[in-house]
């Protein structure tokens, strides 16, 4: 009887561990769609792009994500789900993920958030400038 309990517990833990296992992605973030996967930031480390991205971030993102990207902007109190802590996202995400999320927003599944798509109001360069600014915050 003890052996049966042992095997039941062993199988249970194996199932739990497999559910927590690596799905092939490097992080817990959603997979980047093929339209965006692998795109490269043309402004990596560019000081002018960082400064321009900071201005855009302050006007378009800080009200929800907060001045330092902690998801604590003044508008965040009324949002569900709460805005992401961008410092955490930037540590896990590649530039293609960041560009995708800024361009497409979060209204679609699986995010179902209030984050608007910015691809119709920001140019590609402006989105990359925001990405460059976010990456400089690390």
């Amino acid at each position: 009887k003890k052996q049966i309990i042992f095997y039941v517990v062993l199988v249970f833990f194996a199932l739990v561990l497999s559910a927590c296992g690596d799905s092939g992605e490097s992080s817990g973030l959603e997979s980047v769609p093929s339209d965006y996967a692998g795109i490269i930031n043309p402004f990596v480390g560019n000081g002018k792009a960082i400064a321009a991205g900071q201005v855009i971030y302050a006007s378009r993102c800080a009200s929800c994500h907060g001045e330092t990207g902690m998801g604590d902007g003044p508008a965040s109190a009324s949002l569900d789900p709460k805005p992401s802590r961008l410092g955490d996202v930037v540590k896990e995400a590649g530039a293609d993920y960041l560009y995708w999320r800024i361009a497409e927003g979060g209204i679609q599944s699986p995010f179902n958030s209030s984050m608007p798509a910015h691809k119709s109001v920001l140019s590609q360069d402006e989105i990359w400038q925001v990405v460059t600014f976010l990456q400089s915050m690390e």
Side-chain angles (χ1 to χ4, degrees), residues 23-113:
S23 63
E25 295 179 31
S26 61
S27 69
L29 301 173
E30 294 298 319
S31 296
V32 178
S34 60
D35 291 353
Y36 293 95
I39 58 176
I40 297 170
N41 183 351
F43 298 122
V44 173
N46 180 307
K48 289 182 181 180
I50 292 169
Q54 184 175 18
V55 170
I56 297 166
Y57 178 88
S59 69
R60 302 208 58 89
C61 312
S63 62
C64 295
H65 289 285
E67 288 183 30
T68 61
M70 297 303 289
D72 60 353
S76 69
S78 63
L79 299 175
D80 183 25
K82 297 295 182 202
S84 297
R85 293 172 52 114
L86 296 176
D88 296 341
V89 174
V90 170
K91 288 177 187 172
E92 293 184 43
D96 56 352
Y97 181 92
L98 298 172
Y99 185 97
W100 165 53
R101 294 291 284 121
I102 294 167
E104 296 296 336
I107 295 171
Q108 74 282 358
S109 182
F111 307 107
N112 301 315
S113 73

